[in-house]
Structure formats: structure tokens, C-alpha cells
């Protein structure tokens, strides 16, 4: 079965300022590389729907959701936090971004595909139950995990987060829910300056020092993520797929390469094959060096799609 590729045109209209690194060019760069590599023709293209209020309420408070809707500007920008702003199109983009992850879960649970990649923005893993943060408005991967549990009765959902920043919003949402295992590698100390000591049996936080190489990253994943995931036996694997730990991304400060993203994707595929009916939903998070981002996503999808 083909890998599903989900996106929505509204994700290109969300902008946070001319010099903001989280920009529409990220989606263009990924799509251009997928086309140039010949990979796009093998993917099943799907247009993402909007997430519903009910689906958002599983992971965000009603007060927070209402505040986002109320603050949508008619023109210009409104700051939700120091790094995160909305223009008049941002709410629509955020609703479709979360909706992409939900639709991916639905299609996999209905056996229409084995895995999916959501090329969406804004990203989500810093958004907590009560707040926007770090370029994120709604927590896309958390919405997907909660949907998988609520709609399909799954009792063990794993989220693997290899973004250079800790998925603090995802941890905030699921820290006390043992049905969700979060495995997160991240540079530390670094934004959001947390995570090194907040883990538990189902929150597997793996802080990495600045300059960590791909070999060191692989060792950390092999020693800490993979045994935990084997014990957990997830029924679905979700990926917070951030590519800002790439050596060319000067915002990140780690030294991963495309081959490292391909390797971790392959390892997660093995986990999903053994325990999760091969079901993987991958959701774009960070990655701001456009060429490195595009090449890394292509390597990631190439493994997902067995091409």
C-alpha cells in the first residue's frame, strides 16, 4: 500500500513575519524535493480536513481553544507567545494541520494504508494543554494520539519525537497518561529548557549535548528508546518528525544527517511491524535549513514507503 501524503493549501498562508524561520517555504522545499526525487508520484495525496472542536478538546482546554479563536486578527499579526504569532489565515492552517494527523489515523485504522506523512504547518509539539509556544498553536501529534484512543479504543500509543527541541507540550498533555509513551531526543540545555529530569516509565526523555553526532544519536535511541518501545508494545506509532537536528541547521546545534533520519525511521518501522500492524503517522515539526529539511524528509519518506 502507498504511503499517504497529507497537506492543505491553508498551511502555505500562515505567516509570522518576513524573517520568521517557520515559513511557507518549508512546505515548498519538501514538495519540490519529493517531485525532483521522483518520490511524489508514488505517494497517495490527500487534502487534510479541519480538526473538530471535540478532537481538540481531548488535549487542549476549552479556555485555551476559545482564546485562540477570539484572538484571530482581521489583519496583521497577533502574538500568542514570544515566538508564535497568528495572521488572518493562521487559525485555518492550524485546524487543517491537526486535521491532517486525525485523517491519517483514520485512514490507517481503516487499513487504507500502513503509514502516512503530514506535510503541515504550524507544527505542534510545544503546544501544551493551556498554551501556544515555540511556533506551535495546537498539538497535532497529541490530537492524533488522543483520537486513536478515543475513536478506536487503542490502549498503547507511542510518540517518537526526534526534533532538536524537547516535545514539552506533548509531555505536558500526556505526562500522567500511561497509555501514551513519549520517546524524545533533544538538545539540552536548550529551548524549551526542560525535559531532562521530568520523565517517568512512559516518558522517555533523552537529552543530548550540543554537537551530538549521528552515531551518538543512534546509540541513544538504541539504548533508551527501542527497549522501552519493545516493552510497551504500541498499537500505533506516531512520529513528531522534526529535522532541525541536522548538521546544516544552524538553529539546532546537533550534527545529524539524512542517513540518521533514515535509520531511526527504519527502527521505528520495525517496532510498528512487530506490534502496531505497521501503522505509523509521521507529522512534520521543525527543520529550518530548507535544503537539509527537504533532503531529510525525502529520506524519511523513502523508508516509510519502502522505495
Amino acid at each position: 500500500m502507498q504511503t499517504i501524503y497529507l497537506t492543505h493549501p491553508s498551511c502555505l498562508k500562515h505567516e509570522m513575519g518576513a524573517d520568521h524561520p517557520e515559513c511557507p517555504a518549508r512546505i515548498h522545499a519538501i514538495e519540490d524535493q519529493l517531485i525532483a526525487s521522483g518520490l511524489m508520484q508514488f505517494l497517495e495525496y490527500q487534502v487534510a480536513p479541519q480538526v473538530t472542536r471535540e478532537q481538540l478538546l481531548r488535549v487542549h482546554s476549552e479556555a485555551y481553544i476559545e482564546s485562540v479563536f477570539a484572538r484571530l486578527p482581521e489583519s496583521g499579526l497577533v502574538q500568542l507567545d514570544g515566538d508564535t504569532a497568528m495572521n488572518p489565515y493562521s487559525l485555518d492552517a492550524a485546524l487543517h494541520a491537526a486535521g491532517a494527523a486525525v485523517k491519517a489515523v483514520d485512514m490507517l485504522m481503516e487499513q487504507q494504508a500502513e503509514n502516512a506523512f503530514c506535510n503541515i504547518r504550524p507544527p505542534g509539539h510545544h503546544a501544551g494543554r493551556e498554551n501556544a509556544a515555540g511556533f506551535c498553536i495546537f498539538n497535532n501529534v497529541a490530537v492524533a494520539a488522543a483520537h486513536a484512543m478515543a475513536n478506536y479504543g487503542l490502549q498503547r500509543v507511542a510518540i517518537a519525537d526526534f526534533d532538536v527541541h524537547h516535545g514539552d507540550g506533548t509531555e505536558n498533555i500526556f505526562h500522567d497518561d500511561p497509555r501514551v509513551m513519549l520517546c524524545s531526543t533533544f538538545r539540552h540545555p536548550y529551548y524549551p529548557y526542560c525535559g531532562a529530569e521530568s520523565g517517568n516509565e512512559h516518558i522517555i526523555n533523552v537529552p543530548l549535548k550540543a554537537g551530538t553526532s549521528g552515531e551518538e544519536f543512534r546509540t541513544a535511541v538504541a539504548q533508551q528508546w527501542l527497549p522501552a518501545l519493545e516493552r510497551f508494545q504500541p498499537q500505533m506509532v506516531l512520529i513528531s518528525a522534526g529535522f532541525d537536528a541536522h548538521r546544516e541547521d544552524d538553529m539546532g546545534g546537533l550534527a545529524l544527517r539524512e542517513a540518521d533520519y533514515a535509520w531511526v525511521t527504519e527502527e521505528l518501522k520495525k517496532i510498528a511491524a512487530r506490534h502496531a500492524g505497521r501503522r505509523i503517522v509521521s507529522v512534520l515539526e521543525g527543520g529550518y535549513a530548507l535544503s537539509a529539511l527537504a533532503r531529510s524528509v525525502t529520506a524519511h519518506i523513502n523508508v516509510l514507503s519502502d522505495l
Side-chain angles (χ1 to χ4, degrees), residues 74-150:
E74 294 184 3
S75 62
L77 294 174
V78 166
Q79 293 293 138
L80 297 180
D81 84 331
D83 300 312
T84 314
M86 291 197 300
N87 73 358
Y89 308 102
S90 298
L91 177 58
D92 191 43
L95 294 172
H96 281 99
V102 168
K103 182 169 183 176
V105 168
D106 287 338
M107 293 187 73
L108 268 56
M109 293 304 299
E110 293 164 7
Q111 299 184 344
Q112 296 180 46
E114 291 180 350
N115 57 58
F117 179 78
C118 301
N119 189 12
I120 53 172
R121 49 183 299 278
H125 73 153
H126 294 306
R129 188 170 294 278
E130 304 278 354
N131 65 288
F135 313 163
C136 304
I137 298 175
F138 299 129
N139 195 312
N140 307 313
V141 76
V143 171
H147 179 69
M149 294 185 293

